[in-house]
Amino acid sequence: MSLPETKRPEMPLFEIKEYVPLIDSSLMGPDHWAEITEDISANYFDFDGFVVIMGTDTMAYAASALSFMLENLGKTVVFTGSQIPFCNVYNDARRNLVVSIIFAAGSDFSEVCICFNDKIFRANRTIKVNSVGLDAFDSPNYPPLATIGASIRVNRDLCLPPP
């Protein structure tokens, strides 16, 4: 990965697993969710947390499904993506990805989350509300677990307890 931020000493170490073939998120379904779940389960004890990068069309569905498929989760799993492709000069992908990596490796959230546009939501409470704006996801019936500004502000009272 050629992001200068990822080379900084304060960034956690990470590995990338790329699925072949890459597919549009609108084509993802239960078989793909099961494959992601199996990969996280197989590598559970090797990493502090996990980040799933995917398109936004079905992110809320996939993240919600994994929140039920990953039973007794004691680590953070963060779904993220972007509205503007990473290859564009101006994009939201870089920030979403960097924050997701930091959060997945450094938080003690025992659940699946969605990190998007300076907010971290509980996955199974999140919906996509905008297909063109950067504020694409919301959790209308549950506040964000964390918000990102100059620092990450966590709402500890909303966090699930570890198993």
Side-chain angles (χ1 to χ4, degrees):
M1 181 176 290
S2 62
L3 287 174
E5 299 94 319
T6 62
K7 308 292 187 247
R8 295 181 58 119
E10 62 268 28
M11 279 295 289
L13 298 175
F14 61 89
E15 289 183 20
I16 297 172
K17 174 178 177 153
E18 185 175 311
Y19 292 92
V20 177
L22 292 176
I23 62 168
D24 188 278
S25 69
S26 65
L27 301 174
M28 286 185 74
D31 290 342
H32 301 101
W33 306 337
E35 184 178 5
I36 295 167
T37 300
E38 289 168 11
D39 285 337
I40 290 172
S41 297
N43 292 283
Y44 187 81
F45 295 106
D46 298 329
F47 297 95
D48 295 329
F50 299 89
V51 176
V52 178
I53 306 164
M54 64 176 288
T56 61
D57 289 339
T58 59
M59 184 184 297
Y61 299 110
S64 182
L66 262 73
S67 76
F68 294 102
M69 296 168 81
L70 291 166
E71 297 180 303
N72 297 316
L73 187 63
K75 297 186 180 189
T76 308
V77 176
V78 181
F79 276 73
T80 196
S82 65
Q83 291 292 79
I84 304 168
F86 203 94
C87 61
N88 290 11
V89 172
Y90 169 74
N91 67 68
D92 57 327
R94 170 177 259 118
R95 182 178 177 96
N96 288 343
L97 179 57
V98 169
V99 170
S100 295
I101 292 170
I102 291 168
F103 192 77
S107 78
D108 56 357
F109 278 39
S110 299
E111 61 184 290
V112 180
C113 310
I114 292 178
C115 176
F116 216 88
N117 197 39
D118 298 332
K119 295 182 187 92
I120 297 173
F121 298 108
R122 176 164 290 149
N124 57 26
R125 298 291 187 106
T126 306
I127 59 172
K128 187 170 182 184
V129 295
N130 191 332
S131 61
V132 294
L134 298 183
D135 217 5
F137 292 91
D138 193 17
S139 178
N141 296 313
Y142 204 77
L145 300 174
T147 53
I148 294 99
S151 63
I152 298 176
R153 291 176 307 282
V154 176
N155 295 318
R156 285 265 165 234
D157 55 318
L158 302 177
C159 300
L160 292 176

